Amino acid sequence: MELMEALRTRRAVREFTDDPVDQTVVEDLIGAAILAPSAINRQPWGFVVVLGAERLRRLSVEAKHYLQLHLPAGSPLAMHAADPAFEIFHGATALVIICAPDGESQSFEDCCLAGQNFMLAAHAKGLGTCWIGLSRPWLNDPPVKAELGIPAEWHAVAPIILGHRRSLPSATPRQKAKIIWSR
């Protein structure tokens, strides 16, 4: 897929089939992620891969419960968490968590760059992804880190669900860029 086409057509996918994503495909996508630039070439990222739609459904229940206790009442995100039909991981068959191994702000930004590479590479392979930022506080809770095998000193930065998409959502209109030319 040509780069500009990938940029124009990639979408957040929230409807997946039950077909698992092959482990070698996940490894290829991580290989694309680590091609991202990083400050002073530190390459400060680690990856935790959680596989299985049923496991992710169980984890969605845990995450929703956590969020119901920790999100401010009245926030739009709290309303999502309170909805019995809402599933944080949207039925995906894989969750890839890109983590910063330290607390450096630049490491967090570098992980975000890796996340964009990961999502574009997945789209080029005909797979769907969605960055699930809502899950980040839960993923950084020490008992959850222990359950998922995330080292205690790592910080979950980019939780991205992955799977075979049921369909590709249509494009949403983009606002005109706000540009200030300083000469």
Side-chain angles (χ1 to χ4, degrees):
M1 181 179 291
E2 194 263 335
L3 176 62
M4 292 309 293
E5 178 187 354
L7 291 171
R8 280 191 293 275
T9 60
R10 192 215 58 81
R11 300 285 172 265
V13 174
R14 295 179 182 91
E15 293 183 357
F16 298 91
T17 71
D18 289 333
D19 298 329
V21 178
D22 188 72
Q23 184 172 327
T24 59
V25 171
V26 176
E27 290 170 351
D28 288 346
L29 297 176
I30 290 171
I34 67 171
L35 295 174
S38 64
I40 57 173
N41 198 29
R42 289 185 57 236
Q43 303 179 42
W45 36 62
F47 299 83
V48 176
V49 181
V50 182
L51 297 175
E54 191 52 46
R55 182 165 187 216
L56 287 175
R57 282 185 189 93
R58 287 192 308 272
L59 292 172
S60 284
V61 171
E62 287 181 33
K64 275 178 60 171
H65 179 71
Y66 177 91
L67 293 167
Q68 288 168 350
L69 296 173
H70 293 89
L71 287 173
S75 86
L77 297 177
M79 291 186 289
H80 267 333
D83 179 357
F86 179 69
E87 188 177 326
I88 288 176
F89 300 123
H90 302 285
T93 57
L95 169 65
V96 176
I97 309 158
I98 304 174
C99 298
D102 55 45
E104 296 288 327
S105 65
Q106 193 64 51
S107 296
F108 285 53
E109 294 163 8
D110 293 341
C111 287
C112 292
L113 293 169
Q116 180 70 3
N117 275 17
F118 182 92
M119 292 188 300
L120 286 169
H123 177 58
K125 289 184 176 286
L127 297 168
T129 60
C130 187
W131 188 304
I132 309 294
L134 180 60
S135 69
R136 206 171 24 238
W138 173 74
L139 289 166
N140 280 303
D141 190 41
V144 175
K145 285 181 167 184
E147 177 184 351
L148 298 178
I150 301 172
E153 67 278 6
W154 284 18
H155 304 270
V157 175
I160 301 171
I161 54 173
L162 172 69
H164 294 277
R165 60 188 186 220
R166 289 197 185 279
S167 62
L168 183 62
S170 58
T172 55
R174 295 293 176 203
Q175 298 175 7
K176 185 174 177 167
K178 296 167 185 69
I179 303 171
I180 297 173
W181 299 94
S182 179
R183 301 185 197 270

